[in-house]
Amino acid sequence: MTALLVDTSTAATAQPDAVRRRGGGLLRAVLSSKKAVVGLVLFLVFCVFAIDPGLFTTVDRPNELAFDPSLAPSSQHLLGTTALGQDIWAQLVFSTRQSLVIALVAGFFATVLSVLVGVTAAYLGGITDDVLSLITNVFLVLPTFPLIIILATYAGKGTLLVVLIVLVVTGWSYGANQMRAQTLSLRNRDFLESARVRGERRSYIIVVEVLPTMTSLIVANFLGAALYSVLTAAGLQFLGLGDPNSSSWGTMLYWSQNQQALQTGMPLWSIAPGLCVALLGVSFALINYAFDEISNPALRPVRRRRAKRSRA
Amino acid sequence: MPSDRVLDVRGLTVEYGTDAGAVVAVDNVDLHVGPGEFVGVVGESGCGKSTLLFAIARLLSPPAAITAGTVDFRGDNLAAMSEKELNVLRWRDLSVVMQSAMNALNPVKSIGAQFRDTLVAHGNAKAEIANRSVEVLKLVGIDPIHLRSYPHQLSGGMRQRAMIAMALLFTPELVIMDEPTSALDVVAQRSLMVQIKELQERLGFAVLFVTHDMSLVSHFSDRLVVMYAGQVVESGPTRTVFDQPAHPYSRGLLDAFPSIRGPRLHLTGIPGRPPELRNPPSGCRFHPRCPVEMGHCKAIAPDLYPVGTSHARCLQHVPAADTAAVMP
Amino acid sequence: MRFVVRRLGFFVLTLWAALTLNFFIPRFMPGSPVQALRVRTRNQLSPEKLQQLLTAFGFKPHQNVFFQYFDYLGNMVTGHWGISIGATLGEPVRTLIAQALPWTIGLVGIATIIGFVLGSLVGVVAGWKRGGKIDSLLPPVFVVTSALPYFWVGLLLILVFSVWTNGWLPSDFNYDPDLLPEFSGPFVANVVRHGILPAATIVITSVGGWVLTMRNNMITTLAEDYVRMGRAKGLSNRRIMVDYAARNAMLPNLSGFAMSLGFVISGSILVEYVFNYPGLGYLLYNAVQNTDYPLMQALFMLFTVAVLVALLICDFAIAWLDPRSRAKA
């Protein structure tokens, strides 16, 4: 009865409208959050380091034992040198590339996999759903780090490729569950129903109708996977399971631990690469948190300015 | 000030603080409920009726706040009371029934436990608690064995009735209801309304009933209050408002419902959409959608003018004496 | 009852998957761990012991793979975990694990629970007092701490509280090497002292996550109608916060807790490594360094069991706390 009073023209177009509007509004929303800005700035700084390390240091080959060992920080060596005679700052800058690559590549593939499995399981339902969910939950529960360690060992103390594969294989399951839950809640919405009735193919519906509404979840997932990859890769390398000759923060940590950096008065050698790992991880976490706030307005910081009460 | 009224709201204004400035959701509303009266508040979604209700019961959450007006409940101004003072009369004298019992009942506590916590908070002894809980369930026709049930174990209609039973634990003077029938199907809606009316007649409490379904509430209400864009646009005895709506908006609402016995008429809705409260239209807020807009309606904001036994916020009804002051 | 059966079924299934993975991985990876085994132990173990070792490892090269597999499964489940072939050559894996287990449960277990409880409590209060100073300051801080790498925090703590203070708080081992373990006051105090920094590392890095998720849950829950009803009924703030808000907000947190245990375990491995703390994580690290396959296998199974048991406990806790989940099963 009262439907006549409510203008229904908004409801049907609400979904595509919302998506289109989100495009521009999203960027603005992200930029207005202090946390996101800090995170983005950090991330961009690291990107610059990775793209052109030469901008920040004169050293060409950071792993070469070219300098006097164990020097304190000075104008020539911003962070001093390692016990083996390498410039710490140079190593740090050059190592950015590998860590960033790991984070982005592993994060990307893990997200792709979790979207594939999660959305398919929810959309197709039935036995497919049961089987895929079981696989997801099993992977979710398997203690990943021990698994990674064991895999890395069996594969002969991993090259970068092994580390990446292992990260993707262990990192997709968390996101898959989230994707599945979200898709399930969308499954019976009207705009999907109308697509079905129009006779669109299932794959079309999934790609064109479902995925765009889950953009923020997918991005959040990607950031989480990237964070996970950075920390886990660093942990692996720290334990000595990466390539000890490679240029990465984790490897720097390995060597510094190996040479007892803390105890022998060269704390920067340990703390600096660790700080970089931390900062890169923090940048992802900040952007992720800002995203959370954007997609769930209830979580945004409450504005202190309230309406003033006036005496009647 | 008439002291026989249970509830007397004067000049109530509620504002939401947003990033872009304050939005006035309820604008200078006057409302009153007499003992045992059934008052219906009708309006579209977003007109401010639920906000009004929560403001009266002091259940608003930030960023919404009462910024002006008084809410006189049996002599006490609710708007000026502290939480501690409010807690004493909450539920005992004034209770609330919400739209969806599934959302309004705590999912992890049994029905009996939810009755118990408020009974305990108001100082009842164990034996009284048990007896009273059974009593109220029987009142609404639910088997007392369900005191042990959890909300999700009851059917939709039962849940709603359990909520009403809970609202009657202390036989309050006023029960405020926020669209309690909206989540039910038509048949259940009617049976719930009938039950509410019966209980009201039996126990004598007053009801303030908010809904968007004007036809449903007018069968049961004594008086109707019509809201639009945060303001009261018409109020008066149900019969009068229903038969001779004085405001074009109320007329539009009523014209939208076909009469089952009347001639087949062309149904008209009300064109357009309710205004954004951030920036309401100038002058009369209804003027962009009004079929009898008179030209000066966009410049002059009408007050509530008496029309027979009711009041309407429409420039058509400006009393002769004030015409000169109001007209351009 | 069906609920219990389902959870147990999942438990068994996952355990089986883990064991199977553990069995088949060496067979598909390049290089033969069995060769390494043989080479390593050639001069130290007799042929019979070698055979025993291989069997425990699941390798009876002349036997059909399926028989090997079932032998292996049987061994793993009944505690025949073989003999270490690493630095502790010849020691039964069981003994090694038994020695390390209590330390990990003590350190990691207690620290994790402290982190969870503390984090949840802070989260409840932070969510309740929305808009206050606490709420605007804390979340960004915790976002940062929850993204910090475990090992880096450990290194930092060692630097600040051990190296710079000349050993005020010990940075290695679980108790002073020259002390004899016994149930005496001084010994226990010594153990606690050694545990402070590693435990602090775990708490600092994990607490942030709990605070944030609990706070977010509280905020979402506080917007629910039933919380408003609680206010309408005239209940005290404390009762609303606990009975209506926290009890509901906590539920997703609990399931998250179980899921995150895998991550906690990985963190604990790193923490034990940094602090030379002789728990299971440290054992795994050494096993890996020395390609001690029998030990690695047994530890992997143990870690899986630990996570699954915790999951099971959390599931049952949720079922107890949330009447709806009992109905769903």
Side-chain angles (χ1 to χ4, degrees), chain A residues 35 134 137-138 140-147 149-151 153-155 157 174 177 227-228 231-232 234-235 238-241 253-254 257 262-263 267 270-272 274-275 277-278 281-282 285-286 289 292-293 296 298-302 304, chain C residues 10 13-14 17-18 21-22 25-26 29-30 33 57 130-131 133 139-140 143-144 147-149 151-152 155-156 158-159 163 171 212 215-216 219-220 259 262-263 265-266 269-270 273-274 284-285 288-289 291 293 296 300 303-304 307-308 311:
Chain A
K35 296 189 251 297
L134 190 59
N137 285 329
V138 166
L140 196 55
V141 162
L142 288 179
T144 52
F145 207 60
L147 179 61
I149 293 179
I150 294 174
L151 279 177
T153 317
Y154 280 133
K157 305 231 176 146
Y174 187 74
N177 257 353
L227 173 63
Y228 165 76
L231 295 181
T232 313
F238 176 57
L239 290 179
L241 295 169
L253 282 161
Y254 168 71
Q257 186 74 352
L262 289 178
Q263 283 79 357
S270 269
I271 302 298
L275 183 64
V277 172
V282 164
L286 282 174
Y289 191 70
D292 255 355
E293 282 188 347
N296 186 355
L299 297 175
R300 293 187 201 156
V302 175
R304 302 295 232 103
Chain C
F10 179 69
L13 203 57
T14 315
L21 259 177
N22 213 356
I25 288 176
M29 289 272 154
F57 189 46
R130 240 12 259 292
K133 279 199 204 74
V143 169
V144 167
L148 296 175
F151 53 87
W152 187 70
L155 290 174
L156 211 56
I158 290 181
L159 186 66
V163 173
S171 66
L212 291 173
R215 171 190 173 261
N216 289 357
I219 290 177
T220 318
M259 285 297 160
F263 207 61
I265 287 185
S266 22
I269 294 177
L270 289 167
Y273 169 69
V274 165
L284 181 62
Y285 172 69
V288 163
Q289 288 300 94
T291 56
Y293 296 107
M296 282 192 325
F300 183 60
F303 281 128
T304 312
V307 174
L308 287 174
L311 241 168

Side-chain angles (χ1 to χ4, degrees), chain A residues 53-111:
Chain A
L55 279 179
F56 298 92
T57 171
T58 52
V59 178
D60 260 356
R61 287 187 294 271
N63 282 344
E64 205 178 79
L65 313 180
F67 308 103
D68 291 330
S70 311
L71 290 176
S74 65
S75 55
Q76 277 192 319
H77 301 287
L78 279 173
L79 294 174
T81 59
T82 69
L84 307 161
Q86 301 145 322
D87 184 314
I88 295 180
W89 172 250
Q91 277 197 318
L92 214 59
V93 170
F94 273 88
S95 301
T96 314
R97 187 175 293 173
Q98 193 186 83
S99 305
L100 213 55
V101 162
I102 290 179
L104 297 178
V105 171
F108 175 73
F109 282 108
T111 308

Side-chain angles (χ1 to χ4, degrees), chain B residues 170-211:
Chain B
F170 298 112
T171 328
E173 291 211 33
L174 175 64
V175 180
I176 294 182
M177 304 197 183
D178 184 16
E179 307 212 46
T181 53
S182 303
L184 301 172
D185 65 77
V186 182
V187 177
Q189 273 183 6
R190 203 180 162 82
S191 89
L192 191 73
M193 293 300 297
V194 167
Q195 181 151 57
I196 292 175
K197 200 67 187 169
E198 266 175 17
L199 288 166
Q200 192 192 20
E201 269 151 29
R202 217 162 118 184
L203 301 170
F205 53 88
V207 172
L208 186 59
F209 194 101
V210 161
T211 181

Side-chain angles (χ1 to χ4, degrees), chain B residues 127-188:
Chain B
E128 291 166 5
I129 293 176
N131 289 339
R132 186 63 190 157
S133 307
V134 169
E135 240 185 288
V136 294
L137 277 188
K138 285 202 188 138
L139 262 181
V140 297
I142 297 181
D143 189 334
I145 199 170
H146 284 295
L147 281 175
R148 281 189 292 152
S149 304
Y150 289 92
H152 66 276
Q153 293 172 310
L154 302 176
S155 73
M158 271 176 92
R159 270 200 297 270
Q160 214 71 8
R161 285 184 285 141
M163 239 199 347
I164 293 179
M166 188 160 76
L168 298 174
L169 276 173
F170 298 112
T171 328
E173 291 211 33
L174 175 64
V175 180
I176 294 182
M177 304 197 183
D178 184 16
E179 307 212 46
T181 53
S182 303
L184 301 172
D185 65 77
V186 182
V187 177

Side-chain angles (χ1 to χ4, degrees), chain B residues 1-48:
Chain B
M1 190 243 318
S3 57
D4 59 329
R5 287 179 178 173
V6 171
L7 181 72
D8 203 345
V9 177
R10 303 268 173 123
L12 189 61
T13 306
V14 177
E15 292 180 26
Y16 280 87
T18 65
D19 292 346
V23 172
V24 181
V26 173
D27 195 350
N28 201 8
V29 164
D30 288 343
L31 186 77
H32 61 90
V33 181
E37 242 193 335
F38 192 122
V39 176
V41 178
V42 206
E44 287 167 294
S45 318
C47 70

